[in-house]
Each structure stands twice: as structure tokens, then as C-alpha cells.
Amino acid sequence: MLPPSYSLSELRARAEAELNGDILPFWAKHAFDPVTGRMAGVVTNDLRKFDDVPRHVVICARILWTYAAAAHLDPKPLWLETGRKALAQLTGPFWDKANGGVFWSLDAEGKPVSDRKQVYAQAFSIYALAEWFLATGDKVALEKAKELFEALERHASEPVHGGYIEALSATWSQLEDMRLSDKDLNSPKSMNTVLHVMEAYTTLLQAWPDARVRKSLRDLLVVILDHVVTNKPYARCALFFSIDWSSLNDMISYGHDIEASWLLWEAAAALGEPALMQRTKRVALEIADGVLAHGIDGDGSVCYDGNASGVLNSDKNWWPQAEAVVGFLNAHSLSGESYHLAAATHAWRFIENHVIDRKYGEWFATLDRAGKLRELRALRVKKIVNPSFRDLASSCENLDGCISPRGKLPSVFSFYTSSGWGEAPLGVRS
């Protein structure tokens, strides 16, 4: 592999400039209607706005997480103001006051379009509310996060084989179709959902060091290590499962794998158990090396997906590129190997050269292998933040001494990954 494109200090400076000069101001301006305070519908690449689309709670939660995390690092009034707008939507029209939990989507007037309880969405809401509490000390937000934790443990925790069910109805009863999106399998469990429940509980444990949260987080981490992570054909995460964790297909998602590598480590570090940390460190590095060997293109970018035979979809979605920066920085912090640092900097170079929209701001959603912008739903849709911001933030944190003693991701680059707002309505997953 070629040597790193940048030094750590230069990478941090570039990431912070993109975060503070582009992504955060962009969505502070465009995410909410200045009159009604409601979330925007679609923002196209050339900044046209369309209102006749559902608003998804995952996007709202990710906006809240993003500006909470930004305010945690730098409490600018604009970051706090934007966070409060997202908080008002999440705990207002998105909140199911009759049955608990959050609705999946609302119309432009704030009425439910889909009232199902997607566990993925409950997890992102916990994640955002806990981060808002850590940033502001808002105890009401923490209580809301606790309510969602209790709801997931009561209704979605699967007691026989472990983990969490994919989705439930508005009243927390069984659903026939549990898919997160049209391109997912209709399976009772998925890697994507349990990964983000783990991520949410990792942050909730920091905000609320309750013994039940710790136990649930530990149990889930072990379930993922035991059942989601596989060595066939190399270290990676399987994607969709039966109730007893039998894998239902052989697809490989390179973006989810590099994301999992650092989120697994964050969970283990939060728990602080030496034996579990050692096991997780080994797995995290093996998964990162699997992505590096099989999912990285010659320009340092991450391809979308494949199987044991190789890459099947070579498109370059924005969020796997952001995850790669954080994931490989995390691998470098754990291994000390220069090739992990090189992989992180090459991914960032690709982002700077191809993904950032230099004309209108923010990032393009999807490029083909040649770097041409993909059209989405007949509109040049500009995705919304979380993976961009979460990963950028995490990366910057990761760059503080390339990393704190336990390897905790420092957070400009977590921003880039945890922010990815646009995945639910636009079909871009993270």
C-alpha cells in the first residue's frame, strides 16, 4: 500500500475544516423550515427543496445527535439552536404518546405516515437523546432515552437466542414485514439493527451508568461476536438472520464491516473488561483487514457490496467512505500499523477529491466507479448528515494522540459516520 496521504495533524485539520466550514453550517441552514420549525423534506444537490415526502425519525435523531455532539465539543449557539429544533421534533410529533417509542415517519404536517416501531429507529433516538444529555445536561432528554431503553428491553429483546427483533407494530405487537427498507430481507434479526442498538447503549451507558444498561450492552456485544461475526470466507459480519442467528444470505457489506470494527471496539472499551476487550480488539482488527483486502478500490475508496467471489456493486456511497476513515484510524490506534493509517488517509483523500460538493456544499450521496454522480429517484438528492458528521468527529478525536489510551474514538470522525441522516428516506444505509 502507498504511504499515508497526510500526516495525522493535517488529516485532523482538514476534517475539522470540512466539519465546521461545510457540513454543520449547511444543515443548520437547510434541515428545518425557518417558519414552522418542521424538518425539510428533500434537498437536492442544487438546493431545491421538495415538501411532499415523508420525514423519517432516523433523520431527526441523527440531526439531534450531530448537533449534540458538535455542541459537546464546541457549544456554539447555532449548534445548540439546531439541536433544540431536532429535539422538539423527536420528542414532539415523532413521539408516540399513547404507546411509547417513536413513529417511523411523518408527513409534512407532522402526522404519522408509518407508526411502526422500527427498532433501528428507537436505537438512534436513544443514541441522540443520551448524547444531548451529555452535551447539555438536559435531564428530560435523558429520561426520554431511559423510556426508550425500557421499551426495547420489554418488547424487542429476544430472550431465547439473544439480540433484538427487527421491528414491531405501533402497539409493539408482531409484524409480518419487518424490513427496514425495500432492499433488505424480511428477517427477524439483522446486523444493522443490533449494531446500532449496541452503539446506542454504549452512549447511554456513559450518560446513565445503570447496571441493566451495562448488562444489556455486554450481552449484545457477546451475541454479535458469537453470531454476527463470521470467518466465512474471511472475518466479516453476516447481514440477515433467522431468529436463532442462522445467516440468510452470503452478501458482504464493506461499509457495514468497517463501521462494525470500530463500534465493536467502542462498546468493549465502554465496558472495560480486559478479556472482552482483548477478544474484541482481535476481531475488530481482523474485520478491518478483511475490508482492506477485499473491499477497497485502487483509489482508496470503499466499494458498496460483494460476496465471497468479490465486489458486486462498485458504487461509492458517501457513508462507507466516512466509515473507512474512522474504522482504519481506529485500527491504527489498536495495531500501530502504518498501513491502517494509510488506508484512513486514502479514504479521506477520495472524499476530498470526489465526494464533497464544492459548488453547493455538503457531500454527494452516490458516485459510480468512474466518479460520476448517480441519480436518485429522478432527483439529484443530497443526503443528510449523520455518518458524515459522526465519522468526521470521530476521526478528529481519533487523531488526538491517535488515540486515547483505551483507543476510544476521539470524535470528529464519529461525527461523520453517526450523522448519516439520509439513509432511511433515500435508501442509503449506514
Side-chain angles (χ1 to χ4, degrees):
M1 174 173 279
L2 294 172
S5 302
Y6 316 109
S7 67
L8 284 171
S9 59
E10 184 178 0
L11 178 57
R12 181 188 180 112
R14 287 171 177 266
E16 287 187 327
E18 172 60 13
L19 187 61
N20 292 310
D22 182 14
I23 288 177
L24 289 171
F26 184 97
W27 290 111
K29 180 177 181 180
H30 294 291
F32 296 97
D33 185 288
V35 177
T36 67
R38 295 193 184 111
M39 285 169 52
V42 163
V43 181
T44 65
N45 284 332
D46 56 4
L47 304 187
R48 289 173 295 133
K49 295 184 179 180
F50 292 81
D51 214 33
D52 57 344
V53 296
R55 277 73 168 155
H56 286 74
V57 70
V58 171
I59 294 179
C60 184
R62 288 176 161 188
I63 297 171
L64 176 57
W65 183 92
T66 294
Y67 287 92
H72 204 166
L73 294 178
D74 181 9
K76 290 183 178 179
L78 182 57
W79 304 164
L80 290 165
E81 176 188 346
T82 308
R84 289 188 191 101
K85 291 177 182 178
L87 180 66
Q89 293 294 299
L90 183 65
T91 60
F94 276 113
W95 202 270
D96 184 345
K97 296 173 179 63
N99 302 296
V102 292
F103 299 125
W104 179 238
S105 61
L106 305 176
D107 65 16
E109 301 302 316
K111 297 177 181 178
V113 172
S114 172
D115 60 5
R116 64 193 283 141
K117 300 296 163 56
Q118 203 77 39
V119 170
Y120 179 87
Q122 314 306 313
F124 268 106
S125 299
I126 292 170
Y127 184 45
L129 290 162
E131 187 66 35
W132 183 255
F133 168 77
L134 291 170
T136 66
D138 184 341
K139 293 181 180 179
V140 175
L142 180 59
E143 290 303 314
K144 292 289 188 182
K146 292 178 184 181
E147 285 182 35
L148 293 178
F149 169 77
E150 299 288 359
L152 286 190
E153 293 305 303
R154 184 181 312 115
H155 301 293
S157 178
E158 199 279 287
V160 179
H161 303 286
Y164 295 81
I165 298 298
E166 210 46 21
L168 296 152
S169 74
T171 57
W172 302 98
S173 57
Q174 290 186 345
L175 285 177
E176 287 188 12
D177 186 350
M178 294 185 279
R179 292 175 298 171
L180 182 63
S181 74
D182 291 342
K183 63 184 178 180
D184 289 342
L185 293 185
N186 184 20
S187 63
K189 294 176 181 177
S190 77
M191 174 267 198
N192 199 28
T193 289
V194 295
L195 185 73
H196 289 296
V197 174
M198 181 187 72
E199 178 183 39
Y201 284 9
T202 299
T203 299
L204 182 60
L205 184 62
Q206 297 172 39
W208 179 41
D210 182 83
R212 290 173 303 152
V213 177
R214 174 175 290 277
K215 182 180 185 305
S216 294
L217 175 60
R218 189 188 191 284
D219 289 348
L220 184 54
L221 174 58
V222 172
V223 161
I224 293 172
L225 294 173
D226 286 347
H227 299 295
V228 174
V229 176
T230 178
N231 288 314
K232 298 176 182 180
Y234 54 84
R236 65 178 183 90
C237 293
L239 296 175
F240 300 100
F241 304 90
S242 66
I243 199 73
D244 65 356
W245 293 108
S246 297
S247 179
L248 299 178
N249 73 4
D250 62 356
M251 291 298 293
I252 298 169
S253 174
Y254 306 115
H256 284 105
D257 280 349
I258 193 62
E259 177 184 28
S261 71
W262 71 273
L263 289 179
L264 287 166
W265 175 248
E266 281 215 323
L271 291 166
E273 299 178 19
L276 187 56
M277 290 175 70
Q278 188 60 34
R279 180 187 180 190
T280 307
K281 175 181 176 180
R282 173 181 57 78
V283 169
L285 289 172
E286 289 174 351
I287 293 174
D289 286 341
V291 175
L292 190 56
H294 300 279
I296 302 297
D297 218 341
D299 55 10
S301 62
V302 183
C303 295
Y304 192 73
D305 63 28
N307 61 19
S309 65
V311 173
L312 297 177
N313 183 346
S314 60
D315 279 357
K316 309 299 170 63
N317 287 67
W318 58 278
W319 66 266
Q321 317 315 318
E323 297 289 358
V325 181
V326 185
F328 288 124
L329 280 176
N330 183 62
H332 173 63
S333 76
L334 296 177
S335 71
E337 294 288 351
S338 61
Y339 71 88
H340 287 137
L341 175 59
T345 63
H346 295 166
W348 181 254
R349 181 184 60 195
F350 180 84
I351 289 168
E352 285 198 331
N353 291 343
H354 300 285
V355 181
I356 296 173
D357 183 346
R358 301 293 182 183
K359 183 175 182 180
Y360 293 107
E362 234 275 353
W363 294 11
F364 298 120
T366 307
L367 307 170
D368 66 17
R369 196 167 196 171
K372 182 180 178 182
L373 183 66
R374 289 280 192 203
E375 298 294 325
L376 294 179
R377 293 193 177 182
L379 294 174
R380 297 174 62 218
V381 178
K382 184 172 289 293
K383 62 91 195 149
I384 303 190
V385 46
N386 183 260
S388 311
F389 180 69
R390 170 215 224 182
D391 289 345
L392 254 197
S394 281
S395 297
C396 290
E397 279 190 358
N398 234 332
L399 297 169
D400 282 332
C402 214
I403 297 191
S404 51
R406 285 192 315 190
K408 175 86 171 66
L409 283 178
S411 219
V412 172
F413 280 99
S414 266
F415 276 127
Y416 276 94
T417 59
S418 289
S419 318
W421 305 351
E423 83 183 29
L426 308 183
V428 180
R429 303 283 305 287
S430 97

